[in-house]
């Protein structure tokens, strides 16, 4: 029996006969030879069918195959230094499986909306395949990093009664005879987790009713939220930069082929593994923007243009420290010497990608936290459990949230977040 393999393992089977389940992406043939462009999910590669080496029937079949038709192929693996993948298969037999008539995505240019309508098929393309492989590497790297650093993975609920990041972007849903929201952040639960387990991280979907159409906003996105008991903000910033550098390094180490498919320059990525990352205070950032002719005033939040400008001034990701209270959520710890500010930071990705992390040290004092929640006009009953974390053995603690698709978009150098998640959800996009 011929061994069934994935083409990604080709290097272990050079000059051996193997069997692979594939789809046809494209083909070209002349009288004596047919070149089949194939994919098996793990990579894209070429199959060569020589008329003189196969049955008449197999050669005719190879010429009649349609785009995205599926089949078993049997053949011998050869090195192929001219192709990006590096190996090809010389086909000896083809066994068709599923036919494919008029595949909608062809080699011609398609508009984005068309591709988004066919996202379930678009995922098969080289580019989308590469992005999903890199996403997978970043998922695994995240687990590895936090496990190696003594964190416990903790899963917060999706149905919640609280609104950590403000009440304007909540998805409301009925929950039997009461109301619930889809979680916009697992942070408050992660704080409970940190008080129980020390260092925790969450990694799950979060939801925000973002009404604007931007390149940086999804309504459903994945967030990694580490939360650390007995840790101050400086220690949190160190974990943040080590985590980001680790993610980038893992992609460099294990996704060379995919970075090549995306034309992502590896030397550029290497710069992001160098630590430490620069720190700029909010005050300094405002000054930078004003000098550049922008009409930013002290107290303004930064939008996409401001973040883009700042991040373009640095070769590495950059931390913006200590934002004014008025533009950040209630749970942050006030600055010890400047009462207008919180002890918090956003991390901006380079190349104009803007905020990928938001984080802070947390308010530990019961009375101050209760007052902040009241000031927000939130329903106190919904936050009593959260206040318990300050009633019983309150300790200094810090945490942050990485927007996973934002990080992928930056590392893969994509134009829009919609390509960083298998099935993006946006204001005008619920299907497929
Ligand atoms: O800055 P944010 O709102 O912070 C929090 O949610 C905190 N509770 C995190 C924490 O301290 N545990 O969101 C964190 C990150 C942002 O930096 C951004 O990268 C991403 O989540 N993000 C979004 N990503 C995609 N689509 C959206 N609509 C996003 N909103 C935020
Ligand atoms: Mg933020």
């Amino acid at each position: 029996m011929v061994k069934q393999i994935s083409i990604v393992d080709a290097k272990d089977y050079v000059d051996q006969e193997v069997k692979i389940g594939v789809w046809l992406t494209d083909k070209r043939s002349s009288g004596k030879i047919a070149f089949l462009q194939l994919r098996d999910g793990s990579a894209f590669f070429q199959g060569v069918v020589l008329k003189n080496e196969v049955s008449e029937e197999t050669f005719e079949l190879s010429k009649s195959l349609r785009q995205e038709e599926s089949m078993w192929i049997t053949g011998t693996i050869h090195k192929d230094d001219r192709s990006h993948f590096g190996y090809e298969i010389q086909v000896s037999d083809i066994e068709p499986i599923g036919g494919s008539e008029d595949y909608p995505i062809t080699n011609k240019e398609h508009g984005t909306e068309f591709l988004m309508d066919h996202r379930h098929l678009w995922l098969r393309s080289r580019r989308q395949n590469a992005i999903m492989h890199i996403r997978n590497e970043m998922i695994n790297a995240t687990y590895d990093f936090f496990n190696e650093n003594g964190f416990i993975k903790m899963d917060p609920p999706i149905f919640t009664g609280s609104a950590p990041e403000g009440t304007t972007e909540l998805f409301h849903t009925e929950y039997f005879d009461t109301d619930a929201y889809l979680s916009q952040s697992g942070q408050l639960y992660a704080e409970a987790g940190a008080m129980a387990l020390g260092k925790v991280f969450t990694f799950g979907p979060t939801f925000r009713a973002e009404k604007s159409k931007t390149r940086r906003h999804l309504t459903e996105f994945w967030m990694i939220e580490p939360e650390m008991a007995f840790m101050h903000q400086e220690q949190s910033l160190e974990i943040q930069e080590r985590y980001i550098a680790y993610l980038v390094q893992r992609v460099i180490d294990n996704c060379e082929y995919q970075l090549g498919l995306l034309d992502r320059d590896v030397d550029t990525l290497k710069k992001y593994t160098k630590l430490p990352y620069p720190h700029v205070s909010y005050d300094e950032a405002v000054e930078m923007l004003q000098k550049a002719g922008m009409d930013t005033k002290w107290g303004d939040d930064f939008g996409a243009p401001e973040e883009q400008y700042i991040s373009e001034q640095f070769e590495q990701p950059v931390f913006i420290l200590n934002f004014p209270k008025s533009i950040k959520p209630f749970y942050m710890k006030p600055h010890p010497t400047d009462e207008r500010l919180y002890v918090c930071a956003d991390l901006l990705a380079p190349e104009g990608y803007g905020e990928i992390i938001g984080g802070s040290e947390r308010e530990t004092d019961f009375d101050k936290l209760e007052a902040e929640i009241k000031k927000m006009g939130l329903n106190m009953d919904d936050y009593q459990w959260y206040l318990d974390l300050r009633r019983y053995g309150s300790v200094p603690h810090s945490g942050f949230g990485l927007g996973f698709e934002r990080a992928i978009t930056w590392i893969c150098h994509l134009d829009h977040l919609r390509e960083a998640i298998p099935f993006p959800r946006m204001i005008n996009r619920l299907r497929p």
Side-chain angles (χ1 to χ4, degrees):
M1 263 262 289
V2 180
K3 182 152 191 203
Q4 183 184 333
I5 69 161
S6 288
I7 194 64
V8 73
D9 297 323
K11 64 175 187 327
D12 301 329
Y13 295 92
V14 174
D15 296 330
Q16 294 182 40
E17 189 172 60
V18 297
K19 181 175 172 175
I20 312 178
V22 297
W23 292 264
L24 183 89
T25 65
D26 202 359
K27 69 166 194 291
R28 184 159 64 77
S29 59
S30 65
K32 291 199 168 96
I33 189 163
F35 296 103
L36 309 181
Q37 302 311 318
L38 305 171
R39 59 177 192 88
D40 77 341
S42 72
F44 297 80
F45 61 107
Q46 176 165 272
V48 183
V49 192
L50 297 170
K51 188 168 197 275
N52 293 338
E53 303 280 329
V54 297
S55 69
E56 172 100 35
E57 207 187 351
T58 300
F59 192 68
E60 286 310 308
L61 177 62
S62 72
K63 290 200 296 183
S64 70
L65 291 168
R66 312 290 286 268
Q67 188 186 359
E68 286 305 316
E69 192 165 339
S70 56
M71 66 203 117
W72 293 109
I73 52 166
T74 307
T76 308
I77 301 285
H78 294 304
K79 267 194 83 64
D80 170 24
D81 294 329
R82 288 156 308 172
S83 76
H84 178 57
F85 179 62
Y87 298 89
E88 64 177 22
I89 184 163
Q90 188 183 325
V91 178
S92 56
D93 191 34
I94 300 172
E95 202 185 312
I97 308 175
S100 169
E101 291 288 327
D102 301 326
Y103 186 67
I105 303 177
T106 60
N107 281 334
K108 72 166 204 266
E109 282 275 314
H110 294 288
T112 305
E113 283 310 302
F114 179 86
L115 291 170
M116 290 286 287
D117 287 341
H118 295 84
R119 182 65 176 164
H120 50 295
L121 301 177
W122 189 24
L123 282 172
R124 301 180 182 196
S125 73
R126 276 165 210 267
R127 182 180 160 81
Q128 302 307 315
N129 179 284
I131 297 166
M132 291 304 133
H133 274 275
I134 291 173
R135 180 179 171 109
N136 180 59
E137 181 65 25
M138 290 169 63
I139 292 170
N140 292 329
T142 294
Y143 279 87
D144 291 345
F145 178 83
F146 288 107
N147 283 326
E148 283 163 20
N149 283 279
F151 285 71
I152 303 275
K153 165 87 188 322
M154 195 196 90
D155 302 315
I158 303 289
F159 286 129
T160 70
S162 54
E165 303 302 321
T167 48
T168 52
E169 290 164 355
L170 285 171
F171 276 112
H172 174 258
T173 175
E174 279 172 29
Y175 192 75
F176 305 105
D177 51 3
T178 178
D179 294 319
Y181 306 115
L182 298 184
S183 174
Q184 54 179 189
S185 158
Q187 180 194 318
L188 305 190
Y189 298 96
E191 287 184 58
M195 300 307 139
L197 299 159
K199 290 191 283 183
V200 298
F201 73 106
T202 71
F203 191 166
T206 45
F207 306 86
R208 297 195 189 176
E210 303 278 3
K211 298 228 172 59
S212 54
K213 290 190 208 165
T214 81
R215 300 185 291 135
R216 320 194 304 154
H217 289 97
L218 297 166
T219 53
E220 177 180 303
F221 65 100
W222 286 63
M223 190 156 37
I224 292 113
E225 294 187 274
E227 194 69 34
M228 301 153 283
F230 302 105
M231 288 240 187
H232 293 289
Q233 172 74 348
E234 306 77 63
Q235 296 162 292
S236 172
L237 293 182
E238 200 191 304
I239 297 268
Q240 291 174 43
E241 64 183 10
R242 284 207 291 119
Y243 170 42
I244 297 299
Y246 182 84
L247 281 181
V248 174
Q249 189 63 52
R250 280 279 297 259
V251 171
I252 293 172
D253 289 346
N254 296 332
C255 300
E256 190 191 355
Y257 169 68
Q258 286 80 12
L259 291 171
L261 288 178
L262 295 172
D263 275 328
R264 180 54 155 144
D265 179 43
V266 175
D267 288 331
T268 305
L269 284 179
K270 281 184 184 153
K271 289 192 285 194
Y272 310 146
T273 62
K274 225 181 112 230
L275 297 181
Y277 294 157
H279 290 191
V280 173
S281 70
Y282 171 84
D283 289 21
E284 288 164 339
V286 169
E287 230 173 84
M288 274 174 69
L289 293 166
Q290 288 171 344
K291 276 199 186 129
M294 295 179 146
D295 62 355
T296 315
K297 292 179 299 300
W298 197 95
D300 288 352
D301 201 358
F302 300 154
E306 289 81 12
E307 288 182 4
Q308 180 170 348
Y309 178 81
I310 297 166
S311 69
E312 278 169 357
Q313 309 313 305
F314 297 88
E315 293 250 292
Q316 287 162 281
V318 53
F319 286 110
I320 312 287
L321 305 188
N322 306 334
F323 286 81
K325 287 178 175 172
S326 55
I327 54 172
K328 291 290 179 194
F330 68 89
Y331 52 69
M332 294 184 172
K333 189 176 175 65
H335 193 278
T337 59
D338 188 338
E339 62 184 21
R340 302 170 307 159
L341 308 176
Y342 279 135
V343 179
C344 64
D346 283 358
L347 182 68
L348 308 189
E351 300 173 82
Y353 278 95
E355 178 190 341
I356 53 170
I357 290 182
S360 76
E361 188 154 339
R362 319 306 190 190
E363 176 62 82
T364 49
D365 182 83
F366 179 92
D367 294 327
K368 288 182 187 159
L369 187 60
E370 187 185 42
E372 288 299 324
I373 296 172
K374 277 198 183 125
K375 220 167 36 185
M376 291 275 299
L378 298 169
N379 180 357
M380 288 314 288
D381 291 346
D382 291 334
Y383 294 85
Q384 287 308 328
W385 70 269
Y386 183 61
L387 286 165
D388 272 353
L389 307 177
R390 277 66 173 174
R391 275 191 190 98
Y392 308 111
S394 187
V395 299
H397 62 291
S398 304
F400 62 94
L402 172 74
F404 194 50
E405 287 75 23
R406 295 250 184 113
I408 296 167
T409 301
W410 158 55
I411 289 177
C412 293
H413 204 264
L414 311 177
D415 290 336
H416 197 298
L417 240 58
R418 66 184 157 224
E419 288 184 73
I421 185 164
F423 291 96
R425 295 290 173 253
M426 293 173 290
I427 182 166
N428 57 353
R429 177 64 60 186
L430 186 61
R431 297 185 175 81

